[in-house]
Amino acid sequence: MKKCLVIAAHPDDDILGCGGLLNRFRKKVDFKVIFIAEGSSPRFNDPLSPECLISQSARMQAAISSLEYLNIFKYTFFDFPCCKLDTVGHLKITKAIEKEIKLHKPDIVFTHSDSDSNIDHKIVYNSTIVATRPNSGVDHVVSYEVLSSTEWGYKNSFTPNLFYKLTKNDIKTKIEALKHYESEMQEFPHPRSDIAIESLAQFRGAQCGHKYAEAFRTIRSFL
């Protein structure tokens, strides 16, 4: 059984980027997902207010129920401040990722794209690159796309070179997993809507000759 580590800046990035893949391979791959930052505090003036803490707790529970819906029971939350990873320090984030790599010993690591518009996503990408350097034991490093972030990085667009074909059921299950995040899903034409998620899967599928797919970019691969 291959081991895979999915590194997400915030809860829901994992499902948006890899949800179809997680469902397709959940019986064949030993998955673990780690969340670097919480995903709620920027919405509140006081990050220590009861309302903010309740929201953070709800977001964490949504992440857990979403993954367990996919029969994935390995996950870690670091709860660094959302949209403020630049204040945490590159070394601290890198060390957190390195620790998880040593614990899980993944063959492949999935992380954010460096073309994203979200600053947290870029920081997680940069820390992943250092944590997965050639002596880390990780053979493959791959980046994924996140709707409402990756496609908004207009200067440097996401250019996939790796595709995983999916079934309609994989996409349906991905959308159902995302519905555990009740506050995040929106109505079309928002990118985080049922229609947009399925449309992207159809577009990526058309790029590789299939009905549905998720697209990735290989950063490094040792064969």
Side-chain angles (χ1 to χ4, degrees):
M1 180 180 286
K2 292 290 185 181
K3 290 189 173 185
C4 173
L5 182 68
V6 177
I7 303 171
H10 316 102
D12 79 358
D13 290 335
D14 55 322
I15 306 298
L16 284 164
C18 310
L21 179 143
L22 293 174
N23 187 64
R24 175 182 166 183
F25 293 106
R26 60 180 172 175
K27 294 182 180 180
K28 299 179 180 179
V29 175
D30 183 5
F31 285 109
K32 183 172 186 178
V33 179
I34 64 172
F35 301 100
I36 303 300
E38 47 80 19
S40 300
S41 60
R43 302 172 186 179
F44 300 87
N45 293 327
D46 181 4
L48 297 178
S49 67
E51 295 81 7
C52 182
L53 296 177
I54 290 171
S55 178
Q56 289 177 19
S57 177
R59 189 73 175 266
M60 178 183 291
Q61 290 305 313
I64 292 172
S65 62
S66 178
L67 286 174
E68 293 188 351
Y69 177 76
L70 297 173
N71 289 327
I72 296 171
F73 300 94
K74 294 182 179 180
Y75 38 77
T76 300
F77 297 86
F78 286 99
D79 290 329
F80 292 132
C82 180
C83 296
K84 294 182 180 180
L85 288 185
D86 55 330
T87 68
V88 173
H90 173 65
L91 181 60
K92 191 170 184 179
I93 297 169
T94 301
K95 289 292 185 182
I97 295 172
E98 286 178 337
K99 179 181 178 181
E100 293 297 323
I101 289 172
K102 290 178 181 177
L103 288 172
H104 192 57
K105 296 180 172 57
D107 305 284
I108 182 169
V109 167
F110 287 86
T111 191
H112 285 279
S113 168
D114 62 342
S115 63
D116 281 19
S117 59
N118 187 293
I119 185 62
D120 282 358
H121 294 187
K122 292 181 178 180
I123 290 171
V124 168
Y125 167 86
N126 289 331
S127 288
T128 302
I129 294 303
V130 177
T132 59
R133 53 197 180 276
N135 64 352
S136 67
V138 177
D139 292 330
H140 312 285
V141 184
V142 176
S143 63
Y144 55 82
E145 59 182 335
V146 174
L147 278 169
S148 80
S149 177
T150 311
E151 80 277 16
W152 289 347
Y154 298 111
K155 185 177 180 181
N156 299 306
S157 59
F158 183 72
T159 53
N161 57 14
L162 175 65
F163 298 83
Y164 285 91
K165 65 178 180 179
L166 303 173
T167 65
K168 186 174 182 63
N169 182 65
D170 290 326
I171 298 304
K172 180 182 177 181
T173 304
K174 173 178 180 171
I175 291 171
E176 289 301 314
L178 281 167
K179 287 181 179 178
H180 289 252
Y181 294 94
E182 295 180 2
S183 63
E184 300 304 312
M185 294 297 286
Q186 305 290 329
E187 295 294 325
F188 187 78
H190 194 279
R192 297 190 180 193
S193 62
D194 295 12
I195 294 174
I197 291 165
E198 184 170 0
S199 295
L200 177 62
Q202 290 175 324
F203 174 65
R204 294 308 188 193
Q207 284 186 300
C208 62
H210 296 280
K211 289 185 177 180
Y212 299 95
E214 279 178 337
F216 303 87
R217 182 164 184 81
T218 299
I219 299 170
R220 194 199 70 229
S221 185
F222 295 147
L223 299 174

